[in-house]
Amino acid sequence: MIYVLTRVMIVLRRGTARDPLPRLAAEPVPAVVRAFHPAPLPVWNRRHTSPVGRFLDWCRNLAPAAAHEAYVRSLIHDAWLVEVEYATKAGERIRACLADVIPGGQLPRFTVGAEVSVRYLENPRTRLRADAVPGAPATTRCLLADSLTAVPRAGYDLDGVRARVERVRWSEPRAGSPFLGIMKFKTERDPFDGEVRGERRSFPADPQGIWAALSRPAPVIRRPEDAPLPESVQEVRLWEDSGSFARTQLIHAPVFWVCLPVAAIGLLWFLTVDDSSDAGPDGFFWALWVAAFVWLLVSVGVLVHRLNIRREDLADHERIYRHGVLCTLHRAPWDLGGGEGDSSPTFIALDHRLGDRAARRIHQALRTWITAVTAVDTSCLDETLPAERLFGTEAKGGWYLPFIPGFGTSEDFAAHQWVLITAPKDPEDPQPVVTTVPRGKTFQRMREKARRRAARSAR
């Protein structure tokens, strides 16, 4: 217990990179460049500097720590922290270092005295000590504004913001903010001060250039002609709840749990009426009555809550039927890795109403971009991406889907399936609703069942 408590205290003191970043200022502010500082190396590049560590390095025939650090720095590239000074809304002047690490080749854009646009964190608290040595880099951090997404970065340095040490260096500089739309910030819109994921504002591998180069795509896909559009809301409900688990969990199971306390109360009533003793029921017997009524109240409350959830699900099914877009499904050239060595496929969805030429161009542009991204930064492949966010309004009607309900490993995927994609209710929610359309005998059986239900409802 002492060891566990000690570890918890150490983690709380040092912080963790799993926490969201502090709340970000709504608007960028101008800042003046004041100084440059060599960016420290990531922790994993440092070697032992204690006597025991140097002895172990000597036994393993490794270079000394200082020489190894210089060698690693020469392998990576020049990386610099740019110190700036800005004014907050309250008029307070703050000196901070850009969390965006700037490569040496980009330093002429940040000459001392030049003005840049930054977005500051509204809570400047840091886990590092205040600057004690003259000339030391500032411990506070700020971010380059959205308008400077074209500036290449060598990595990022968030030391002191969430944890005492949080540094990342990339093998090659790349354009685009590593924070905006990628990391999580606290925001005033969430009443519980929770994590809110922003919208990614920059993408690697130059998707605009890829789209422009594919003005005449090759015919690499075949699309089915018969579109299985849903005939009724009942059919969409069967697609969404193909195993009938939702109806069981939301209706049948709560009703069963309500029947149990009702049966218990009936048994207690029978025992009370049938009691022939002169003393009457004792205190334990009345405690059973109270427990049975509490059980009944809890069960009824759960049933009402589940019925409200079921009502919301039915409303969602109606919305999917009215506004869902039927799309063909194609395999993407990227598999998401699992935690135990397995992988799951990713997909490209195309609106079935698109013309052949537009569908081929969107499909080939997404495949080319995904292939290019896998060699640079795969973090953006964990989220659903409409093609129009990557390539512009001309690419409307395509989606990259990292996950689809109903699919497991790559072996479970059959080419050219269908899905319904429905825009979310909340405009700030980037994740659409994806409904898998069954195929083969399953599709025919569900359609016949939906027709029978519709016929009974019409009577």
Side-chain angles (χ1 to χ4, degrees):
M1 290 180 63
I2 294 175
Y3 172 78
V4 172
L5 291 176
T6 303
R7 294 300 302 174
V8 170
M9 292 176 62
I10 291 174
V11 170
L12 292 177
R13 184 176 178 85
R14 292 181 177 177
T16 172
R18 296 179 180 178
D19 297 332
L21 292 173
R23 187 165 52 245
L24 194 65
E27 298 295 334
V29 297
V32 180
V33 178
R34 295 303 185 190
F36 304 100
H37 307 279
L41 288 173
V43 178
W44 49 265
N45 281 332
R46 294 193 177 276
R47 294 278 294 284
H48 302 289
T49 55
S50 63
V52 176
R54 287 195 295 270
F55 175 74
L56 294 176
D57 287 347
W58 179 80
C59 293
R60 297 170 184 169
N61 196 22
L62 298 176
H68 178 75
E69 182 173 331
Y71 172 70
V72 172
R73 183 180 292 278
S74 66
L75 282 183
I76 298 180
H77 44 70
D78 265 343
W80 297 83
L81 293 179
V82 178
E83 187 171 341
V84 299
E85 184 177 359
Y86 60 86
T88 63
K89 291 182 179 180
E92 182 183 4
R93 304 293 299 183
I94 295 180
R95 291 177 72 100
C97 286
L98 293 178
D100 306 77
V101 176
I102 305 301
Q106 297 295 321
L107 285 184
R109 306 179 64 168
F110 299 89
T111 57
V112 176
E115 186 176 286
V116 295
S117 183
V118 301
R119 298 186 70 177
Y120 63 90
L121 303 172
E122 293 188 359
N123 182 9
R125 184 188 60 174
T126 174
R127 293 182 180 271
L128 302 178
R129 291 181 299 177
D131 305 333
V133 181
T139 57
T140 310
R141 296 290 185 262
C142 61
L143 316 179
L144 282 176
D146 312 43
S147 58
L148 299 175
T149 53
V151 177
R153 277 81 159 176
Y156 62 85
D157 190 312
L158 289 172
D159 286 1
V161 178
R162 298 186 292 189
R164 288 192 175 184
V165 178
E166 186 180 357
R167 310 164 186 163
V168 171
R169 298 292 176 274
W170 297 325
S171 58
E172 293 293 337
R174 66 183 70 161
S177 173
F179 312 104
L180 302 177
I182 299 174
M183 293 190 179
K184 300 175 181 178
F185 297 86
K186 291 185 177 179
T187 175
E188 291 179 345
R189 292 177 300 175
D190 190 348
F192 301 102
D193 201 23
E195 302 175 3
V196 176
R197 193 175 183 85
E199 181 180 357
R200 183 186 291 270
R201 294 172 173 84
S202 61
F203 296 92
D206 188 19
Q208 296 292 336
I210 292 175
W211 178 257
L214 294 176
S215 58
R216 295 182 178 180
V220 294
I221 62 170
R222 295 176 56 192
R223 305 173 68 204
E225 297 180 357
D226 297 332
L229 291 169
E231 295 181 345
S232 61
V233 180
Q234 286 80 3
E235 190 170 6
V236 173
R237 292 173 186 172
L238 293 175
W239 294 354
E240 281 285 309
D241 186 20
S242 58
S244 299
F245 293 118
R247 188 177 182 87
T248 300
Q249 295 178 358
L250 298 179
I251 298 179
H252 296 162
V255 169
F256 173 76
W257 286 107
V258 169
C259 293
L260 289 181
V262 170
I265 291 175
L267 177 62
L268 292 174
W269 176 260
F270 173 77
L271 295 177
T272 303
V273 174
D274 193 56
D275 188 10
S276 59
S277 61
D278 297 334
D282 56 1
F284 177 74
F285 191 79
W286 292 115
L288 291 179
W289 270 98
V290 174
F293 273 106
V294 171
W295 186 7
L296 178 62
L297 291 176
V298 172
S299 301
V300 171
V302 172
L303 176 60
V304 173
H305 177 65
R306 296 289 179 86
L307 290 177
N308 290 332
I309 296 177
R310 181 63 175 174
R311 191 178 298 108
E312 294 176 0
D313 287 347
L314 297 180
D316 292 338
H317 298 165
E318 179 75 23
R319 189 170 183 276
I320 292 173
Y321 172 69
R322 301 296 180 187
H323 305 286
V325 177
L326 186 65
C327 300
T328 58
L329 199 61
H330 309 269
R331 180 75 177 273
W334 164 252
D335 288 350
L336 290 176
E340 299 180 357
D342 57 347
S343 61
S344 58
T346 58
F347 308 93
I348 295 173
L350 300 174
D351 190 340
H352 81 287
R353 299 168 297 183
L354 290 172
D356 291 340
R357 184 178 181 278
R360 289 198 300 266
R361 186 180 184 185
I362 296 174
H363 179 265
Q364 193 167 345
L366 283 173
R367 288 186 61 89
T368 305
W369 178 76
I370 293 170
T371 304
V373 165
T374 55
V376 180
D377 179 15
T378 59
S379 62
C380 57
L381 297 180
D382 296 334
E383 55 184 296
T384 301
L385 294 174
E388 57 185 319
R389 284 184 58 192
L390 294 169
F391 311 118
T393 55
E394 292 183 343
K396 186 176 182 179
W399 289 268
Y400 163 75
L401 305 175
F403 173 77
I404 292 179
F407 286 98
T409 62
S410 302
E411 289 74 15
D412 300 331
F413 172 75
H416 307 313
Q417 296 304 302
W418 298 88
V419 291
L420 280 173
I421 298 182
T422 311
K425 293 181 180 178
D426 188 0
E428 296 181 357
D429 186 4
Q431 300 297 328
V433 179
V434 181
T435 305
T436 306
V437 179
R439 63 183 186 274
K441 294 182 178 180
T442 304
F443 174 80
Q444 296 296 334
R445 184 172 62 253
M446 289 186 179
R447 171 150 292 185
E448 293 175 359
K449 187 175 181 180
R451 289 175 178 174
R452 290 195 299 267
R453 289 186 179 181
R456 288 196 299 267
S457 300
R459 295 175 187 174

